[in-house]
Amino acid sequence: MKEKLTWDDAHLFDYISAVEYLYVPDIDDYEYNINLEVSNSNAEIGEKVEAPVFGYSEISVIFKNRYNEGKLSKQHLYREYLDVVRHLLKELQLDVDKFWCLFLFALDYCESLFYQGITMKATPLEQLQALANMIANADNETMLLKFKAGKQKTSVESPVALRFLADAIHNHLKNADYATTKSLYVREEEEEAVIPKDSPIITYFAKILLNFFDTQEQVRNKRKEGANHSLKEMELVSLLVYFARLSDNKSWTDIVNETLKGFLRQYKDYKYPNNVSSIYPEFSVY
């Protein structure tokens, strides 16, 4: 793998792009800086600034710059990476260098999201939707909504009144245009960032790679009927969890232990903090 990447090597970002298309909502409307290199304040006058190849997003631009600046935490371990997983990549018919870039990006994204990320409060829109959905899903349960403004307090416990409120919220959001509701999308930072424990972060990292496998036909074809992932896929991700030192537990190196399967089951419905990356544009892993 090269020490420096140019846009002649843009094909190496193909696996990263596959992940983007899975996670970025409304990708056609997403504000990509396609074909625009981020400003280079350190460039000498007259120095040629290389423009990205068409079709590669801001995420690829950022990743390429961080790679060339040596800011990715494991990029010096390329030979060790080959020793650990090359045989599995061959069996899954995956490109060694493209997957190396995906691995580095997935790790960098998780670190920037959970260790150096910023925790955001729910937007006004998210708060309204959560309230309306909770009321709508309450069935015949007892309900109580408390409101406080300064020293004034009131409460609403009538199911009829609360369902009317939920319907009013849903109808307004459904019929209003963005111009009149744009203030509902404003995010505010929490005073302190929330860092989850290591186990949910490991699961988040693993999901990026496992969901990538779903985009590769040759990988899907190797699965047993009805299986979400093949044993080789699970082994590859497990070895990379240990290789990245997301965990020092050697159980990750023995697929018989089914450590990854246990993590995926345990954190299936885990509620991650509402963090945004300190480096990359926002997208969500499901």
Side-chain angles (χ1 to χ4, degrees):
M1 188 75 174
K2 294 182 177 179
E3 289 187 10
K4 300 286 185 181
L5 298 176
T6 71
W7 286 108
D8 290 335
D9 307 306
H11 63 282
L12 295 176
F13 308 143
D14 287 350
Y15 289 177
I16 297 176
S17 297
V19 167
E20 288 183 74
Y21 275 88
L22 283 178
Y23 297 138
V24 177
D26 302 322
I27 195 161
D28 291 337
D29 299 323
Y30 192 73
E31 294 182 358
Y32 279 145
N33 291 332
I34 293 180
N35 238 9
L36 294 175
E37 179 70 20
V38 292
S39 62
N40 184 357
S41 59
N42 295 322
E44 298 291 336
I45 296 176
E47 181 180 341
K48 182 180 178 181
V49 177
E50 185 188 25
V53 174
F54 178 79
Y56 288 91
S57 71
E58 183 181 2
I59 285 178
S60 294
V61 173
I62 294 170
F63 174 81
K64 170 181 167 290
N65 289 342
R66 286 178 61 76
Y67 181 96
N68 287 344
E69 293 165 6
K71 292 182 176 179
L72 306 175
S73 61
K74 303 297 179 183
Q75 70 183 87
H76 61 290
L77 298 176
Y78 178 69
R79 292 185 181 277
E80 291 85 345
Y81 154 82
L82 292 179
D83 292 339
V84 171
V85 299
R86 178 162 44 188
H87 65 292
L88 291 170
L89 294 172
K90 183 178 180 180
E91 291 188 43
L92 293 170
Q93 297 177 268
L94 292 170
D95 184 280
V96 171
D97 290 340
K98 289 181 183 180
F99 197 81
W100 172 240
C101 288
L102 175 61
F103 161 73
L104 291 176
F105 165 73
L107 184 59
D108 198 39
Y109 183 76
C110 287
E111 291 174 345
S112 70
L113 185 65
F114 295 120
Y115 297 127
Q116 298 98 34
I118 301 167
T119 303
M120 310 299 291
K121 297 178 181 179
T123 64
L125 176 62
E126 290 167 341
Q127 294 178 45
L128 285 172
Q129 289 175 328
L131 173 61
N133 290 339
M134 185 178 292
I135 294 171
N137 295 328
D139 294 329
N140 296 320
E141 297 173 291
T142 301
M143 291 187 278
L144 174 64
L145 176 65
K146 293 184 177 181
F147 177 77
K148 180 180 178 181
K151 295 183 178 180
Q152 299 183 68
K153 299 178 182 180
T154 190
S155 62
V156 182
E157 56 184 335
S158 165
V160 175
L162 290 170
R163 289 197 175 93
F164 180 87
L165 176 61
D167 289 342
I169 293 172
H170 279 140
N171 290 334
H172 178 75
L173 294 177
K174 181 179 178 180
N175 298 318
D177 57 28
Y178 176 75
T180 59
T181 61
K182 61 182 180 180
S183 61
L184 296 179
Y185 294 83
V186 176
R187 290 187 181 274
E188 295 182 357
E189 294 183 23
E190 294 280 7
E191 291 184 6
E192 293 185 7
V194 177
I195 301 176
K197 295 180 180 179
D198 289 340
S199 296
I201 297 175
I202 291 171
T203 307
Y204 197 97
F205 167 81
K207 282 184 177 180
I208 294 177
L209 301 183
L210 290 173
N211 289 339
F212 160 74
F213 294 144
D214 291 336
T215 70
Q216 303 299 300
E217 183 178 4
Q218 80 281 10
V219 175
R220 298 196 307 269
N221 289 341
K222 297 179 187 299
R223 296 171 183 170
K224 292 181 179 179
E225 185 175 354
N228 291 326
H229 298 284
S230 68
L231 191 62
K232 297 298 181 186
E233 292 171 65
M234 299 292 281
E235 183 178 6
L236 175 56
V237 175
S238 295
L239 288 175
L240 288 175
V241 167
Y242 186 76
F243 174 75
R245 287 299 182 265
L246 291 172
S247 172
D248 291 325
N249 190 332
K250 286 198 173 183
S251 66
W252 288 96
T253 64
D254 188 351
I255 194 62
V256 174
N257 290 317
E258 297 190 335
T259 305
L260 177 56
K261 185 181 290 187
F263 269 58
L264 293 173
R265 188 184 303 115
Q266 182 177 354
Y267 296 100
K268 180 180 179 181
D269 299 316
Y270 181 81
K271 186 173 177 58
Y272 287 90
N274 192 19
N275 283 13
V276 294
S277 168
S278 57
I279 297 169
Y280 294 98
E282 182 177 4
F283 67 92
S284 299
V285 174
Y286 301 104

